PDB file of all heavy atoms in Angstrom:
ATOM      1  N   PRO A  78      -8.325  13.890  13.838  1.00  0.00           N
ATOM      2  CA  PRO A  78      -8.137  13.542  12.427  1.00  0.00           C
ATOM      3  C   PRO A  78      -6.689  13.596  11.969  1.00  0.00           C
ATOM      4  O   PRO A  78      -6.313  12.896  11.015  1.00  0.00           O
ATOM      5  CB  PRO A  78      -8.999  14.571  11.693  1.00  0.00           C
ATOM      6  CG  PRO A  78      -9.090  15.734  12.627  1.00  0.00           C
ATOM      7  CD  PRO A  78      -9.109  15.134  13.996  1.00  0.00           C
ATOM      8  N   VAL A  79      -5.859  14.403  12.616  1.00  0.00           N
ATOM      9  CA  VAL A  79      -4.438  14.455  12.246  1.00  0.00           C
ATOM     10  C   VAL A  79      -3.745  13.176  12.700  1.00  0.00           C
ATOM     11  O   VAL A  79      -2.925  12.604  11.976  1.00  0.00           O
ATOM     12  CB  VAL A  79      -3.759  15.697  12.843  1.00  0.00           C
ATOM     13  CG1 VAL A  79      -2.270  15.716  12.517  1.00  0.00           C
ATOM     14  CG2 VAL A  79      -4.435  16.967  12.322  1.00  0.00           C
ATOM     15  N   ARG A  80      -4.109  12.724  13.876  1.00  0.00           N
ATOM     16  CA  ARG A  80      -3.611  11.425  14.342  1.00  0.00           C
ATOM     17  C   ARG A  80      -4.038  10.333  13.387  1.00  0.00           C
ATOM     18  O   ARG A  80      -3.266   9.429  13.055  1.00  0.00           O
ATOM     19  CB  ARG A  80      -4.136  11.167  15.756  1.00  0.00           C
ATOM     20  CG  ARG A  80      -3.853   9.757  16.294  1.00  0.00           C
ATOM     21  CD  ARG A  80      -5.036   8.841  16.031  1.00  0.00           C
ATOM     22  NE  ARG A  80      -4.724   7.457  16.363  1.00  0.00           N
ATOM     23  CZ  ARG A  80      -5.385   6.405  15.910  1.00  0.00           C
ATOM     24  NH1 ARG A  80      -6.406   6.569  15.062  1.00  0.00           N
ATOM     25  NH2 ARG A  80      -5.042   5.183  16.259  1.00  0.00           N
ATOM     26  N   ASP A  81      -5.298  10.390  12.923  1.00  0.00           N
ATOM     27  CA  ASP A  81      -5.820   9.351  12.044  1.00  0.00           C
ATOM     28  C   ASP A  81      -5.104   9.333  10.696  1.00  0.00           C
ATOM     29  O   ASP A  81      -4.796   8.256  10.163  1.00  0.00           O
ATOM     30  CB  ASP A  81      -7.323   9.551  11.825  1.00  0.00           C
ATOM     31  CG  ASP A  81      -8.123   9.378  13.113  1.00  0.00           C
ATOM     32  OD1 ASP A  81      -7.555   8.877  14.103  1.00  0.00           O
ATOM     33  OD2 ASP A  81      -9.305   9.757  13.124  1.00  0.00           O
ATOM     34  N   LEU A  82      -4.857  10.506  10.133  1.00  0.00           N
ATOM     35  CA  LEU A  82      -4.157  10.555   8.849  1.00  0.00           C
ATOM     36  C   LEU A  82      -2.738  10.000   9.008  1.00  0.00           C
ATOM     37  O   LEU A  82      -2.249   9.271   8.141  1.00  0.00           O
ATOM     38  CB  LEU A  82      -4.116  11.991   8.316  1.00  0.00           C
ATOM     39  CG  LEU A  82      -3.499  12.196   6.928  1.00  0.00           C
ATOM     40  CD1 LEU A  82      -4.085  11.244   5.897  1.00  0.00           C
ATOM     41  CD2 LEU A  82      -3.688  13.647   6.481  1.00  0.00           C
ATOM     42  N   THR A  83      -2.098  10.301  10.120  1.00  0.00           N
ATOM     43  CA  THR A  83      -0.779   9.736  10.393  1.00  0.00           C
ATOM     44  C   THR A  83      -0.848   8.222  10.539  1.00  0.00           C
ATOM     45  O   THR A  83       0.002   7.494  10.006  1.00  0.00           O
ATOM     46  CB  THR A  83      -0.202  10.339  11.685  1.00  0.00           C
ATOM     47  OG1 THR A  83      -0.134  11.762  11.566  1.00  0.00           O
ATOM     48  CG2 THR A  83       1.186   9.781  11.968  1.00  0.00           C
ATOM     49  N   ALA A  84      -1.869   7.733  11.227  1.00  0.00           N
ATOM     50  CA  ALA A  84      -2.023   6.293  11.424  1.00  0.00           C
ATOM     51  C   ALA A  84      -2.244   5.580  10.094  1.00  0.00           C
ATOM     52  O   ALA A  84      -1.766   4.455   9.885  1.00  0.00           O
ATOM     53  CB  ALA A  84      -3.182   6.017  12.383  1.00  0.00           C
ATOM     54  N   LEU A  85      -2.969   6.221   9.187  1.00  0.00           N
ATOM     55  CA  LEU A  85      -3.181   5.638   7.862  1.00  0.00           C
ATOM     56  C   LEU A  85      -1.868   5.564   7.082  1.00  0.00           C
ATOM     57  O   LEU A  85      -1.593   4.575   6.395  1.00  0.00           O
ATOM     58  CB  LEU A  85      -4.215   6.457   7.091  1.00  0.00           C
ATOM     59  CG  LEU A  85      -5.661   6.326   7.584  1.00  0.00           C
ATOM     60  CD1 LEU A  85      -6.535   7.415   6.970  1.00  0.00           C
ATOM     61  CD2 LEU A  85      -6.226   4.938   7.249  1.00  0.00           C
ATOM     62  N   ILE A  86      -1.053   6.605   7.199  1.00  0.00           N
ATOM     63  CA  ILE A  86       0.248   6.592   6.533  1.00  0.00           C
ATOM     64  C   ILE A  86       1.120   5.494   7.133  1.00  0.00           C
ATOM     65  O   ILE A  86       1.832   4.773   6.415  1.00  0.00           O
ATOM     66  CB  ILE A  86       0.933   7.963   6.663  1.00  0.00           C
ATOM     67  CG1 ILE A  86       0.171   9.014   5.844  1.00  0.00           C
ATOM     68  CG2 ILE A  86       2.389   7.888   6.210  1.00  0.00           C
ATOM     69  CD1 ILE A  86       0.094   8.720   4.360  1.00  0.00           C
ATOM     70  N   ALA A  87       1.089   5.355   8.459  1.00  0.00           N
ATOM     71  CA  ALA A  87       1.859   4.298   9.110  1.00  0.00           C
ATOM     72  C   ALA A  87       1.386   2.923   8.648  1.00  0.00           C
ATOM     73  O   ALA A  87       2.199   2.011   8.429  1.00  0.00           O
ATOM     74  CB  ALA A  87       1.745   4.425  10.627  1.00  0.00           C
ATOM     75  N   ALA A  88       0.078   2.761   8.480  1.00  0.00           N
ATOM     76  CA  ALA A  88      -0.459   1.492   7.998  1.00  0.00           C
ATOM     77  C   ALA A  88      -0.007   1.226   6.561  1.00  0.00           C
ATOM     78  O   ALA A  88       0.296   0.086   6.191  1.00  0.00           O
ATOM     79  CB  ALA A  88      -1.987   1.510   8.080  1.00  0.00           C
ATOM     80  N   TYR A  89       0.038   2.264   5.759  1.00  0.00           N
ATOM     81  CA  TYR A  89       0.521   2.152   4.381  1.00  0.00           C
ATOM     82  C   TYR A  89       1.963   1.656   4.373  1.00  0.00           C
ATOM     83  O   TYR A  89       2.324   0.744   3.618  1.00  0.00           O
ATOM     84  CB  TYR A  89       0.417   3.510   3.708  1.00  0.00           C
ATOM     85  CG  TYR A  89       0.952   3.577   2.308  1.00  0.00           C
ATOM     86  CD1 TYR A  89       0.124   3.365   1.210  1.00  0.00           C
ATOM     87  CD2 TYR A  89       2.298   3.869   2.061  1.00  0.00           C
ATOM     88  CE1 TYR A  89       0.622   3.438  -0.088  1.00  0.00           C
ATOM     89  CE2 TYR A  89       2.794   3.935   0.768  1.00  0.00           C
ATOM     90  CZ  TYR A  89       1.952   3.724  -0.293  1.00  0.00           C
ATOM     91  OH  TYR A  89       2.457   3.781  -1.583  1.00  0.00           O
ATOM     92  N   LEU A  90       2.796   2.250   5.233  1.00  0.00           N
ATOM     93  CA  LEU A  90       4.194   1.846   5.310  1.00  0.00           C
ATOM     94  C   LEU A  90       4.313   0.403   5.787  1.00  0.00           C
ATOM     95  O   LEU A  90       5.093  -0.380   5.234  1.00  0.00           O
ATOM     96  CB  LEU A  90       4.945   2.774   6.265  1.00  0.00           C
ATOM     97  CG  LEU A  90       5.042   4.244   5.865  1.00  0.00           C
ATOM     98  CD1 LEU A  90       5.668   5.060   6.985  1.00  0.00           C
ATOM     99  CD2 LEU A  90       5.841   4.411   4.584  1.00  0.00           C
ATOM    100  N   GLY A  91       3.535   0.054   6.802  1.00  0.00           N
ATOM    101  CA  GLY A  91       3.582  -1.302   7.322  1.00  0.00           C
ATOM    102  C   GLY A  91       3.184  -2.335   6.291  1.00  0.00           C
ATOM    103  O   GLY A  91       3.796  -3.411   6.190  1.00  0.00           O
ATOM    104  N   ASN A  92       2.186  -2.017   5.490  1.00  0.00           N
ATOM    105  CA  ASN A  92       1.753  -2.941   4.440  1.00  0.00           C
ATOM    106  C   ASN A  92       2.855  -3.150   3.408  1.00  0.00           C
ATOM    107  O   ASN A  92       3.102  -4.270   2.966  1.00  0.00           O
ATOM    108  CB  ASN A  92       0.490  -2.393   3.765  1.00  0.00           C
ATOM    109  CG  ASN A  92      -0.029  -3.323   2.688  1.00  0.00           C
ATOM    110  OD1 ASN A  92      -0.615  -4.358   2.979  1.00  0.00           O
ATOM    111  ND2 ASN A  92       0.184  -2.959   1.434  1.00  0.00           N
ATOM    112  N   ALA A  93       3.514  -2.069   3.030  1.00  0.00           N
ATOM    113  CA  ALA A  93       4.601  -2.179   2.043  1.00  0.00           C
ATOM    114  C   ALA A  93       5.754  -2.999   2.589  1.00  0.00           C
ATOM    115  O   ALA A  93       6.367  -3.794   1.853  1.00  0.00           O
ATOM    116  CB  ALA A  93       5.081  -0.788   1.650  1.00  0.00           C
ATOM    117  N   LEU A  94       6.063  -2.833   3.867  1.00  0.00           N
ATOM    118  CA  LEU A  94       7.152  -3.595   4.468  1.00  0.00           C
ATOM    119  C   LEU A  94       6.803  -5.077   4.590  1.00  0.00           C
ATOM    120  O   LEU A  94       7.668  -5.939   4.447  1.00  0.00           O
ATOM    121  CB  LEU A  94       7.474  -3.029   5.847  1.00  0.00           C
ATOM    122  CG  LEU A  94       8.064  -1.614   5.873  1.00  0.00           C
ATOM    123  CD1 LEU A  94       8.126  -1.103   7.304  1.00  0.00           C
ATOM    124  CD2 LEU A  94       9.445  -1.580   5.235  1.00  0.00           C
ATOM    125  N   ASP A  95       5.541  -5.367   4.830  1.00  0.00           N
ATOM    126  CA  ASP A  95       5.106  -6.759   4.973  1.00  0.00           C
ATOM    127  C   ASP A  95       5.004  -7.463   3.627  1.00  0.00           C
ATOM    128  O   ASP A  95       5.143  -8.687   3.554  1.00  0.00           O
ATOM    129  CB  ASP A  95       3.745  -6.828   5.671  1.00  0.00           C
ATOM    130  CG  ASP A  95       3.827  -6.489   7.151  1.00  0.00           C
ATOM    131  OD1 ASP A  95       4.964  -6.448   7.681  1.00  0.00           O
ATOM    132  OD2 ASP A  95       2.778  -6.253   7.760  1.00  0.00           O
ATOM    133  N   HIS A  96       4.738  -6.689   2.566  1.00  0.00           N
ATOM    134  CA  HIS A  96       4.549  -7.283   1.236  1.00  0.00           C
ATOM    135  C   HIS A  96       5.387  -6.539   0.189  1.00  0.00           C
ATOM    136  O   HIS A  96       4.845  -5.964  -0.770  1.00  0.00           O
ATOM    137  CB  HIS A  96       3.067  -7.224   0.850  1.00  0.00           C
ATOM    138  CG  HIS A  96       2.144  -7.803   1.878  1.00  0.00           C
ATOM    139  ND1 HIS A  96       2.106  -9.144   2.188  1.00  0.00           N
ATOM    140  CD2 HIS A  96       1.220  -7.203   2.686  1.00  0.00           C
ATOM    141  CE1 HIS A  96       1.204  -9.353   3.130  1.00  0.00           C
ATOM    142  NE2 HIS A  96       0.657  -8.199   3.442  1.00  0.00           N
ATOM    143  N   PRO A  97       6.701  -6.536   0.333  1.00  0.00           N
ATOM    144  CA  PRO A  97       7.539  -5.742  -0.579  1.00  0.00           C
ATOM    145  C   PRO A  97       7.456  -6.172  -2.036  1.00  0.00           C
ATOM    146  O   PRO A  97       7.558  -5.336  -2.942  1.00  0.00           O
ATOM    147  CB  PRO A  97       8.954  -5.941  -0.022  1.00  0.00           C
ATOM    148  CG  PRO A  97       8.884  -7.230   0.742  1.00  0.00           C
ATOM    149  CD  PRO A  97       7.511  -7.269   1.325  1.00  0.00           C
ATOM    150  N   ASP A  98       7.265  -7.458  -2.280  1.00  0.00           N
ATOM    151  CA  ASP A  98       7.178  -7.929  -3.659  1.00  0.00           C
ATOM    152  C   ASP A  98       5.926  -7.389  -4.344  1.00  0.00           C
ATOM    153  O   ASP A  98       5.975  -6.895  -5.471  1.00  0.00           O
ATOM    154  CB  ASP A  98       7.181  -9.459  -3.710  1.00  0.00           C
ATOM    155  CG  ASP A  98       8.459 -10.049  -3.144  1.00  0.00           C
ATOM    156  OD1 ASP A  98       9.475  -9.328  -3.109  1.00  0.00           O
ATOM    157  OD2 ASP A  98       8.451 -11.222  -2.734  1.00  0.00           O
ATOM    158  N   LEU A  99       4.795  -7.498  -3.640  1.00  0.00           N
ATOM    159  CA  LEU A  99       3.549  -6.974  -4.204  1.00  0.00           C
ATOM    160  C   LEU A  99       3.603  -5.457  -4.315  1.00  0.00           C
ATOM    161  O   LEU A  99       3.068  -4.873  -5.262  1.00  0.00           O
ATOM    162  CB  LEU A  99       2.358  -7.387  -3.338  1.00  0.00           C
ATOM    163  CG  LEU A  99       1.921  -8.851  -3.447  1.00  0.00           C
ATOM    164  CD1 LEU A  99       0.843  -9.153  -2.412  1.00  0.00           C
ATOM    165  CD2 LEU A  99       1.424  -9.166  -4.846  1.00  0.00           C
ATOM    166  N   TYR A 100       4.250  -4.806  -3.359  1.00  0.00           N
ATOM    167  CA  TYR A 100       4.324  -3.347  -3.387  1.00  0.00           C
ATOM    168  C   TYR A 100       5.026  -2.860  -4.642  1.00  0.00           C
ATOM    169  O   TYR A 100       4.626  -1.868  -5.245  1.00  0.00           O
ATOM    170  CB  TYR A 100       5.061  -2.836  -2.144  1.00  0.00           C
ATOM    171  CG  TYR A 100       5.081  -1.325  -2.058  1.00  0.00           C
ATOM    172  CD1 TYR A 100       3.950  -0.634  -1.640  1.00  0.00           C
ATOM    173  CD2 TYR A 100       6.211  -0.601  -2.422  1.00  0.00           C
ATOM    174  CE1 TYR A 100       3.943   0.748  -1.571  1.00  0.00           C
ATOM    175  CE2 TYR A 100       6.215   0.786  -2.351  1.00  0.00           C
ATOM    176  CZ  TYR A 100       5.087   1.451  -1.931  1.00  0.00           C
ATOM    177  OH  TYR A 100       5.074   2.822  -1.879  1.00  0.00           O
TER     178      TYR A 100
END
Side-chain angles (χ1 to χ4, degrees):
V79 177
R80 172 266 172 200
D81 295 347
L82 184 50
T83 302
L85 288 167
I86 292 300
Y89 177 92
L90 296 173
N92 181 75
L94 293 171
D95 288 347
H96 307 292
D98 298 338
L99 285 173
Y100 184 77

